[in-house]
Amino acid sequence: MSKPALQEIILKGINASPGICIGKAYLVDKEGVDVVEKYYIKKKKLQAEVKRFKAAVKRARDEFQSIIENRPEELERDYILETHIALLKDKMLYGRTVETIQTEAVNAEWALKKIVSGLIMTFEKMGDAYLKERASDVVHVSDCIMRNLVGATTENIAAIDKRVILVANDLSPAETSQINLARIMGFITNRGGKTSHTGIVAQALEIPAVVGLETATIEIKSDDLIIVDGNTGIVIIHPSEQTLVEYEERKINYEEYKAVITRESHLSAETTDGVRLEVMANIELPEEIVSVKNYGGDGIGLYRTEFQYMNRQDFPNEEELFGKYREVVELMTPKPVTIRTLDINGDKAVANQSDFNETNPALGLRAIRYCLRKPDVFKTQLRAILRAAAFGRVRILFPMIAAYFEICEAIKALDEAAESLEKDGLPYKREIDIGIMVEVPSAVVLADLLADKADFFSIGTNDLIQYALAIDRGNRNVAHLYQPLDPAVLRLIKRVADVSREKGLEVFMCGEMAASAQHMPLLLGLGMDELSMNPQSIPQAKRVIRALKRSDAQMFAREALKKKTARGVFEMIQDTYGDILSELEYR
Ligand code: PEP
Ligand code: MG
């Protein structure tokens, strides 16, 4: 009698790294150190206990160091493990654990557990996805110390000798860095989010990964057949014959597509009639530069700087900011890096600001409004940007400009920052291009006035659509109305492009709208000089641009602007460019 077919199960998680793999699951059964005993240490033995803790930290450090030395070349510049080494010596973790052992006269395991739980709670309370990920860095580091304290063994990922897909509750960056590409086809985890370092590592290694599945380790057993679709975030357990055939085909299509894309990604985005568009990357972390380079980005079109502010109770100081900016600028040089000044509040709340409880944060004290109200915070960042500018090609971008006086005040603050650096005798560069983010409708109306104050405009469609169509960008109930192709949005973009041409400014777009292949003919026709998007979308955007002719796209845009609805515009794109797009686009 044949075995009954196992029921196909579909799990939905977060697509952390693109690609498709099909294979046997390998459950990484990490033996966590869950139960920690508490016992008291006699006064005269306290020093020895501290020494035992320090030895465990040193072993953890040696482990990280040896992984760093043996990690694949693709990961050499990701710095995550270097960050972990720095965390090992962090005052909050290391210093306070030593202090707890001494003041409470308790064993090292207990002291470490107490300090780490406190740190995690602080992170978790902040309720921000990015911060939760940073909490996981603390967990990975402390797990490593704890294992060394209790003498537990670790799952040796490097020693896996079959071709498998890893299934884990969570994988630390140290573990992902040991992945043997000849063996591991991909991985999936219960934990993790969009900004997790683990996802970034998977992208650098170019293996499919889905994170945030919550129940993967419960639903999947070792040796189960699974499909991982890192493009959509879908994982299928016990796939049926039909599903397998479908995914084998998708996998082949994707691999063919990727091979072509990779070959072409370093070609420039030049239209068939010789017009070159710059295709740049949006980043949030220096670690993403690996992807930007792999995907052939012409530079950084938007470096969102707010994350460095969200990771803490206090504000980062100038040296910290300068260090990060300089790293990005040096890694990208001679390509340009567009550093956007702080865009906090709105949808990116800062945890340490209890005085900013606003009922309508999207219309509140966010971005440039916040910076102008907090001159010290602003000046610290401006000085760091100007100092980093001495190391490469930096452009500065001011977010949420809604009024003429705002850009005047922002530039005044920039000049003051430059003067103070001059006085302090620190190297800096003031002659950098100044950009205005056009993301509030009033900035479009005032574009002719604002143009006199800037070198370029960068259209932030994520917010521009929200404010122009009165649709909260995070509200599911109205998500169907959030239409980049709405004629109102297109007219706003056209006005910014027209004013830029008249006034001799360059015009860029860095909102999500710029990442879609479908929008390329319109954006080219409307006259964008540069598009900036998530790194993975760059190769496709370049590819589509190379197949277009600007003069045709201009004619097309003129006709599209006569349409009365987003659907009308969409249908026109399909009718005119549907064939080209379906040939070039991966779906
Ligand atoms: C935008 O608003 O389009 C944009 C790029 O900025 P953010 O998504 O960070 O608000
Ligand atoms: Mg915005």
Side-chain angles (χ1 to χ4, degrees):
M1 222 169 64
S2 63
K3 267 206 274 175
L6 290 161
Q7 185 68 34
E8 181 172 289
I9 302 170
I10 299 178
L11 304 180
K12 178 88 184 85
I14 298 164
N15 47 339
S17 176
I20 294 170
C21 60
I22 304 172
K24 293 267 178 78
Y26 183 101
L27 214 60
V28 182
D29 196 8
K30 265 196 302 179
E31 195 194 316
V33 183
D34 290 334
V35 190
V36 174
E37 240 189 291
K38 177 179 181 180
Y39 53 90
Y40 290 99
I41 308 284
K42 288 203 181 92
K43 206 168 166 207
K44 61 174 193 259
K45 297 245 168 97
L46 275 178
Q47 257 339 83
E49 189 63 7
V50 169
K51 226 167 129 190
R52 191 169 74 85
F53 173 69
K54 289 186 176 171
V57 172
K58 176 161 187 317
R59 272 199 299 277
R61 196 197 137 84
D62 293 346
E63 278 174 26
F64 285 131
Q65 198 59 49
S66 123
I67 298 169
I68 287 176
E69 277 153 24
N70 296 307
R71 73 183 154 190
E73 215 175 286
E74 292 90 334
L75 298 179
E76 264 168 24
R77 302 230 72 140
D78 70 16
Y79 300 117
I80 299 169
L81 296 177
E82 283 81 350
T83 313
H84 282 187
I85 290 187
L87 252 181
L88 282 172
K89 281 278 173 187
D90 191 89
K91 253 199 279 164
M92 305 280 278
L93 185 74
Y94 180 88
R96 283 172 53 193
T97 304
V98 170
E99 214 176 274
T100 307
I101 298 174
Q102 287 165 333
T103 54
E104 297 184 21
V106 287
N107 57 320
E109 291 88 345
W110 186 261
L112 177 65
K113 187 178 168 200
K114 179 179 169 184
I115 295 304
V116 170
S117 312
L119 281 174
I120 304 295
M121 242 156 58
T122 318
F123 277 124
E124 300 273 332
K125 254 198 255 140
M126 294 174 183
D128 174 274
Y130 181 80
L131 287 182
K132 286 193 175 155
E133 288 308 331
R134 303 296 69 80
S136 78
D137 289 342
V138 176
V139 172
H140 295 317
V141 167
S142 70
D143 274 357
C144 191
I145 306 174
M146 191 68 90
R147 272 197 315 270
N148 281 310
L149 275 173
V150 300
T153 52
T154 54
E155 178 83 31
N156 191 352
I157 289 176
I160 296 173
D161 61 354
K162 321 181 253 194
R163 267 185 74 67
V164 289
I165 300 169
L166 294 183
V167 181
N169 179 41
D170 196 8
L171 284 174
S172 68
E175 285 159 335
T176 24
S177 300
Q178 295 173 68
I179 282 178
N180 175 345
L181 287 174
R183 302 265 184 260
I184 313 291
M185 294 186 262
F187 66 78
I188 60 178
T189 59
N190 292 345
R191 301 200 47 194
K194 263 269 182 237
T195 55
S196 66
H197 279 145
T198 305
I200 293 169
V201 171
Q203 284 167 25
L205 292 172
E206 301 196 20
I207 56 172
V210 175
V211 299
L213 283 157
E214 288 172 9
T215 55
T217 53
I218 299 167
E219 313 231 20
I220 302 173
K221 311 263 165 307
S222 273
D223 286 334
D224 277 352
L225 183 64
I226 58 172
I227 298 174
V228 176
D229 185 344
N231 300 327
T232 58
I234 296 272
V235 171
I236 305 172
I237 317 168
H238 315 309
S240 68
E241 269 310 307
Q242 199 189 340
T243 310
L244 266 178
V245 172
E246 185 197 324
Y247 270 88
E248 286 287 1
E249 200 172 315
R250 281 200 201 194
K251 181 171 178 308
I252 293 169
N253 285 345
Y254 180 73
E255 276 160 12
E256 278 173 5
Y257 161 81
K258 203 176 146 207
V260 176
I261 282 284
T262 315
R263 262 202 315 278
E264 294 175 349
S265 68
H266 294 277
L267 300 176
S268 57
E270 190 173 313
T271 62
T272 57
D273 49 350
V275 178
R276 180 172 170 162
L277 252 77
E278 300 298 314
V279 183
M280 318 275 280
N282 294 353
I283 64 158
E284 276 138 23
L285 302 166
E287 288 90 336
E288 289 173 280
I289 297 228
V290 183
S291 300
V292 177
K293 293 200 165 176
N294 285 347
Y295 290 115
D298 293 321
I300 306 293
L302 172 64
Y303 177 11
R304 290 183 168 101
T305 56
E306 29 288 354
F307 292 104
Q308 256 179 292
Y309 292 76
M310 297 170 134
N311 201 357
R312 55 206 304 145
Q313 289 297 311
D314 57 354
F315 285 94
N317 65 34
E318 184 181 315
E319 284 309 312
E320 274 179 76
L321 295 175
F322 167 59
K324 286 279 180 225
Y325 302 160
R326 176 179 169 175
E327 186 183 325
V328 172
V329 171
E330 285 189 328
L331 287 171
M332 286 308 297
T333 201
K335 293 178 174 160
V337 174
T338 315
I339 306 181
R340 181 176 75 181
T341 61
L342 197 51
D343 182 2
I344 42 177
N345 290 340
D347 61 335
K348 312 172 192 80
V350 186
N352 57 4
Q353 299 291 294
S354 53
D355 49 333
F356 284 117
N357 268 336
E358 300 178 308
T359 43
N360 202 344
L363 304 182
L365 192 68
R366 62 173 285 200
I368 196 70
R369 303 167 182 180
Y370 176 91
C371 288
L372 294 176
R373 179 75 76 83
K374 296 258 176 190
D376 292 344
V377 174
F378 198 27
K379 188 171 175 188
T380 304
Q381 183 179 35
L382 294 175
R383 279 174 55 109
I385 294 172
L386 291 175
R387 285 176 63 191
F391 294 86
R393 249 180 90 193
V394 167
R395 315 190 287 207
I396 194 166
L397 183 57
F398 294 110
M400 284 283 293
I401 298 289
Y404 184 76
F405 82 87
E406 285 172 339
I407 186 63
C408 298
E409 287 192 18
I411 293 171
K412 192 164 151 245
L414 189 68
D415 287 333
E416 283 167 7
E419 279 161 29
S420 68
L421 287 168
E422 185 68 39
K423 258 199 220 129
D424 294 346
L426 288 165
Y428 71 97
K429 185 168 165 203
R430 169 62 184 86
E431 303 73 40
I432 55 175
D433 280 355
I434 294 178
I436 293 177
M437 270 199 82
V438 180
E439 49 185 345
V440 182
S442 62
V444 181
V445 178
L446 297 177
D448 52 327
L449 300 182
L450 299 177
D452 294 337
K453 289 281 163 193
D455 300 292
F456 66 93
F457 284 137
S458 189
I459 306 177
T461 49
N462 304 344
D463 277 314
L464 187 59
I465 297 169
Q466 145 163 289
Y467 296 124
L469 303 182
I471 292 161
D472 178 347
R473 62 194 257 192
N475 182 339
R476 281 169 191 246
N477 298 329
V478 286
H480 63 292
L481 299 171
Y482 190 92
Q483 294 288 352
L485 296 178
D486 190 290
V489 176
L490 299 186
R491 288 181 191 204
L492 293 171
I493 297 172
K494 180 174 186 309
R495 170 163 164 83
V496 182
D498 289 348
V499 171
S500 303
R501 221 174 357 266
E502 272 163 39
K503 295 277 191 176
L505 260 70
E506 286 192 296
V507 59
F508 311 154
M509 180 177 284
C510 63
E512 282 301 309
M513 183 178 182
S516 162
Q518 306 259 342
H519 299 148
M520 291 305 148
L522 257 179
L523 300 181
L524 172 69
L526 284 169
M528 294 301 117
D529 295 300
E530 188 178 295
L531 302 173
S532 194
M533 59 197 68
N534 61 73
Q536 291 92 309
S537 301
I538 292 173
Q540 177 155 290
K542 283 180 140 184
R543 193 170 192 223
V544 173
I545 293 164
R546 278 198 298 271
L548 300 174
K549 187 170 177 189
R550 186 171 65 173
S551 53
D552 289 350
Q554 284 170 327
M555 240 159 29
F556 171 77
R558 272 198 293 279
E559 290 307 308
L561 269 142
K562 293 180 188 159
K563 294 287 172 194
K564 297 186 176 116
T565 60
R567 172 135 289 276
V569 180
F570 176 76
E571 282 166 1
M572 201 179 148
I573 296 174
Q574 291 309 312
D575 291 346
T576 318
Y577 289 100
D579 288 347
I580 298 184
L581 289 170
S582 63
E583 215 174 280
L584 299 175
E585 205 184 357
Y586 177 77
R587 288 158 209 260

